[in-house]
Amino acid sequence: MNYDFTRQETALFADVTKAVKEFTEDGKLDCRKNALDKKSLQPILRSLAKTPYLKLGLEPEDGLNGHLSLMGAMEVLAAASPSAYLAVEASTRLFGRAVCQWANPDQKKRLLPQLLAGEVIGALALSEANVSVENQPFVTSGKKDGSNVVINGKKQYVINAPSADWIAAAGTYDDSMALFFIEKNTPGLVVNPPLETMGYEGALIAGISLEDCQIPESQVVLPSAGQDIPAMIRMWENQMILGASLGISSAAFDAACNFAKSHKSGSKPVIAYQEIGFKLAEMLTLLQTSQLLAYRTAWTLETNPKEARELMWCAKVFCTESAEQICSQALQVMGAAGCVEGNRAQTAYRCAKYNQVTGTSTEIARVKIGDAELGYRE
Ligand SMILES: Cc1cc2nc3c(=O)[nH]c(=O)nc-3n(C[C@H](O)[C@H](O)[C@H](O)COP(=O)(O)OP(=O)(O)OC[C@H]3O[C@@H](n4cnc5c(N)ncnc54)[C@H](O)[C@@H]3O)c2cc1C
């Protein structure tokens, strides 16, 4: 394995930083009052569309290393603004991948170029109200009605739901798992008011209700034999969360390190005190180890996707739990300055818990790693 990023990858990371700099300065996107509605998300997507970022993981890109380049770029964007990162990723990497994977050729032709240009915003609705979708059938279901399908169900915590032009909702159809592609303003699609979350405050997250929501049958996609839609979506979510964890960890570490070098106590910068130096050393060790594991997972997704699943669960547990520790230590190092709203370490800390529960939760990831090692699951 080569541990260095190529010149092209380094250039991509610099381009991503430049593309979002004007939007993400001073942490202004990571608060509720600047929530990322369509009007404010589109310019960010359009700016990123000038770089290869949005295409990564969806289309092959010359000179870049697929998932590995993507993980590096995800870290950069998530460090700049966790909220913008989540909104961008939900649209391109969650909804976009659903389009690439399951939409019919006409839908792909219609949706993909617009999505990759930042003109269309997407969302993916997997989680159900009142039940865990981990080992429980979906309550959301569709029934055939002539050439249409009528869907009923409730979905929770859908990133971008209030701003999305299209939502892909998971459910059952004809006793099979299915994804329903629902365009905004479809009668029966009700988008609830945005939730007030802890962390990622700038991202618009809301529940949706599908109340006799009618779509043409051509907008229902069924997986091919052997495909497990929820498991595939969980992999994409976990990958998104690994990028988020690296981003918030490095943002919190940088903020704490800069503070410790410039803030003085007894005429010395506080980094000169062993208690602070040790904290920074622990944080850096966790950050470096998280990066190694996340990048190795990305590498394995390219070279041996089957093995990557277990590695992804291990990385999910380690990187998300380390991120919480790193962010917490960063606030300790920074004293009161860290607790002021807008501080990057504080923003990161608020996002850290969500990373552990969303996608495959760290409890369920541990169960899956154990089962896989014991040979209970393939
Ligand atoms: C800010 C935010 C944004 C989100 N965005 C989206 C989105 O865009 N689209 C979407 O579909 N969802 C989204 N989600 C939902 C998220 O993916 C789910 O919350 C997550 O998968 C956990 O599911 P749950 O809330 O139903 O909790 P549950 O899965 O019910 O878990 C509750 C607790 O029980 C534990 N648990 C549950 N089952 C088991 C088991 N079998 N073994 C051991 N422990 C178990 C869990 O680890 C957890 O501690 C978002 C959530 C948040 C907070």
Side-chain angles (χ1 to χ4, degrees):
M1 192 192 290
N2 184 346
Y3 288 92
D4 287 325
F5 283 116
T6 61
R7 283 232 300 270
Q8 201 163 343
E9 284 168 329
T10 313
L12 164 71
F13 306 155
D15 287 346
V16 169
T17 308
K18 209 166 124 202
V20 297
K21 198 166 191 307
E22 67 170 293
F23 306 105
T24 56
E25 254 166 5
D26 310 324
K28 59 190 172 202
L29 287 183
D30 290 283
C31 61
R32 223 153 263 145
K33 65 177 185 292
N34 293 331
L36 285 154
D37 57 11
K38 186 168 177 176
K39 213 169 118 230
S40 45
L41 181 55
Q42 256 182 338
I44 301 172
L45 286 164
R46 285 186 189 130
S47 190
L48 284 169
K50 293 181 191 143
T51 76
Y53 182 76
L54 298 183
K55 288 188 192 157
L56 293 173
L58 278 79
E59 290 181 352
E61 190 64 27
D62 279 348
L64 290 170
N65 290 311
H67 293 288
L68 194 60
S69 309
L70 174 59
M71 186 54 69
M74 282 175 153
E75 178 177 348
V76 168
L77 182 58
S81 165
S83 300
Y85 170 78
L86 211 62
V88 167
E89 287 304 311
S91 183
T92 42
R93 230 78 54 189
L94 297 186
F95 178 77
R97 272 179 169 152
V99 172
C100 281
Q101 190 76 43
W102 294 300
N104 66 39
D106 279 352
Q107 288 160 346
K108 264 187 216 165
K109 216 164 124 192
R110 187 150 65 107
L111 280 177
L112 214 48
Q114 289 202 64
L115 201 65
L116 295 178
E119 298 306 324
V120 158
I121 293 172
L124 189 71
L126 185 70
S127 304
E128 296 261 327
N130 307 324
V131 293
S132 166
V133 299
E134 275 309 315
N135 45 16
Q136 181 112 4
F138 287 109
V139 178
T140 299
S141 66
K143 280 204 171 65
K144 193 166 163 57
D145 182 12
S147 58
N148 288 333
V149 171
V150 179
I151 317 156
N152 280 287
K154 285 187 197 312
K155 295 286 183 183
Q156 301 233 86
Y157 317 122
V158 185
I159 305 164
N160 293 342
S163 52
D165 299 293
W166 283 86
I167 298 177
T172 54
Y173 180 62
D174 245 358
D175 294 330
S176 167
M177 290 285 184
L179 263 196
F180 305 109
F181 281 85
I182 308 167
E183 194 164 10
K184 79 168 176 202
N185 298 331
T186 300
L189 165 64
V190 180
V191 179
N192 300 334
L195 296 163
E196 303 221 336
T197 55
M198 179 184 77
Y200 299 103
E201 284 88 350
L204 282 181
I205 299 167
I208 62 168
S209 298
L210 302 164
E211 299 167 4
D212 289 333
C213 178
Q214 267 200 26
I215 57 170
E217 198 175 17
S218 58
Q219 286 171 212
V220 181
V221 273
L222 302 171
S224 332
Q227 272 188 337
D228 180 346
I229 289 186
M232 288 173 82
I233 294 176
R234 281 284 185 249
M235 278 286 272
W236 304 339
E237 284 178 335
N238 290 340
Q239 188 184 28
M240 171 175 94
I241 294 304
L242 288 194
S245 296
L246 296 190
I248 63 168
S249 297
S250 61
F253 176 76
D254 286 350
C257 211
N258 290 337
F259 177 90
K261 286 177 186 169
S262 60
H263 186 78
K264 289 197 174 142
S265 172
S267 336
K268 295 190 284 192
V270 291
I271 198 170
Y273 293 94
Q274 207 173 49
E275 291 79 356
I276 298 295
F278 277 7
K279 278 197 178 56
L280 290 164
E282 269 171 38
M283 290 158 67
L284 185 58
T285 306
L286 288 175
L287 172 58
Q288 296 266 11
T289 315
S290 297
Q291 284 169 329
L292 273 179
L293 194 49
Y295 292 133
R296 166 127 201 270
T297 306
W299 169 270
T300 311
L301 275 170
E302 289 294 326
T303 54
N304 185 356
K306 212 169 170 206
E307 193 194 309
R309 224 169 36 141
E310 203 177 317
L311 208 48
M312 178 74 88
W313 294 322
C314 296
K316 175 78 193 335
V317 171
F318 187 82
C319 298
T320 61
E321 292 182 355
S322 297
E324 187 184 349
Q325 290 178 51
I326 293 168
C327 297
S328 169
Q329 298 275 45
L331 290 184
Q332 193 68 29
V333 166
M334 296 178 79
C339 300
V340 174
E341 192 169 323
N343 182 283
R344 294 174 83 205
Q346 196 239 47
T347 302
Y349 185 65
R350 283 186 280 112
C351 296
K353 182 46 79 180
Y354 158 76
N355 290 353
Q356 292 166 28
V357 291
T358 200
T360 308
S361 72
T362 47
E363 287 81 13
I364 296 174
R366 283 182 166 89
V367 171
K368 285 180 184 286
I369 297 164
D371 284 355
E373 284 303 310
L374 289 167
Y376 285 164
R377 293 176 207 202
E378 280 182 29

